[in-house]
Amino acid sequence: TSRPTSRDGRVAAATTHPEPTKLAEPAAAAAAAAAASLPVAAALATRPDGWREAYEASVSARVVLLALLASFVKGYRRLLEQHVPAVAASLVGLLREVPDHAVNDRRDVLLALRHLVSAQFRDEFLPHLPALMDLDAVVGGGRAAHATLRTLAVSVVSELLHNAKNRLSLPLVARAIRTMGRVVHDTTLPLHTQTSAARLVLGFVDVVYHNKEADTTQGRLLLSTVLRIVTTRLQSLRDYIPSLLARAASLARRRRRRRRREVRALQGA
């Protein structure tokens, strides 16, 4: 059988799926290009007259590219695992580059990060933990991003800290405790997110207790910080529980009244 030809007589290329052996070099080149273009994109962002739109389009393109590479990692783990550090560094760098109003792009970056973390590529993010623990930078400064992405960002950072807590230095442990302590006291987050952060903070107690630092002063300060986080949160719950019980009782009374009205309406019919 003859293969289809184009108008100029050349044989048209068949559409095939990429072979696994051909994915490694493109992945490395794409990750390197994405990382190298970060300072170029930052320079474009300062230009007037439409350069900002070009910068945002380039950021969106790099987000799509790196998200695609992150989705390939699980299926082609043996071929692409050597390039995961470059992809991880590029993703963390994109969190600094994505504009605050580009909520979908930032969500795609966080989902790609979670995909790599769930694929057991956690060690590659250890050098980037200081940057990832800055939740304000990870979520972005936009109001929409702050309202919709905080839970996702906290879950990704919490999973990384949970799996790396025994390998963190004491200064990083101190920073992790402060970061998760803010999450514990953030009442705008879902309750399960606050509970997970509280478990993580309590999990650092054993790490601090068994640290090998000669100076025990910092360890005692961190243990007292954990105790203060837990006690102040319990105190806030003590003040909040009566109002919560009163609200639950009010809702129960409303349901009973509505049920009685429905029964009367059925009897009258």
Side-chain angles (χ1 to χ4, degrees), residues 155-202:
S155 66
V156 173
V157 176
S158 298
E159 186 171 356
L160 283 172
L161 290 175
H162 174 73
N163 290 278
K165 62 183 179 181
N166 293 319
R167 289 175 287 172
L168 298 180
S169 62
L170 208 56
L172 281 180
V173 170
R175 185 169 181 180
I177 290 174
R178 289 195 299 269
T179 301
M180 290 297 109
R182 289 175 55 196
V183 175
V184 170
H185 290 287
D186 190 349
T187 56
T188 61
L189 289 170
L191 184 60
H192 65 85
T193 303
Q194 300 176 52
T195 305
S196 300
R199 290 198 191 102
L200 184 58
V201 169
L202 292 174

Side-chain angles (χ1 to χ4, degrees), residues 26-129:
S37 60
L38 290 177
V40 177
L44 289 178
T46 61
R47 296 288 191 88
D49 302 329
W51 285 93
R52 182 171 295 276
E53 287 76 11
Y55 160 71
E56 294 177 0
S58 70
V59 170
S60 298
R62 285 183 286 132
V63 168
V64 172
L65 172 64
L66 290 172
L68 182 63
L69 290 178
S71 67
F72 280 158
V73 166
K74 187 174 291 186
Y76 302 99
R77 183 186 183 94
R78 183 178 59 83
L79 293 170
L80 299 181
E81 61 182 354
Q82 60 179 322
H83 306 295
V84 171
V87 176
S90 299
L91 287 172
V92 175
L94 275 176
L95 290 174
R96 298 191 300 269
E97 297 290 326
V98 174
D100 290 338
H101 63 270
V103 178
N104 291 331
D105 288 341
R106 193 172 292 272
R107 180 186 292 110
D108 290 341
V109 174
L110 290 173
L111 290 175
L113 285 172
R114 188 170 67 177
H115 187 82
L116 291 178
V117 171
S118 64
Q120 308 300 319
F121 290 106
R122 301 186 179 103
D123 294 344
E124 287 75 10
F125 290 97
L126 288 180
H128 308 291
L129 271 179

Side-chain angles (χ1 to χ4, degrees), residues 170 174 205 207-225:
L170 208 56
V205 171
V207 177
V208 174
Y209 182 77
H210 291 97
N211 78 90
K212 304 299 183 182
E213 297 288 337
D215 185 10
T216 60
T217 304
Q218 188 176 6
R220 287 198 299 269
L221 290 175
L222 288 178
L223 291 177
S224 64
T225 300

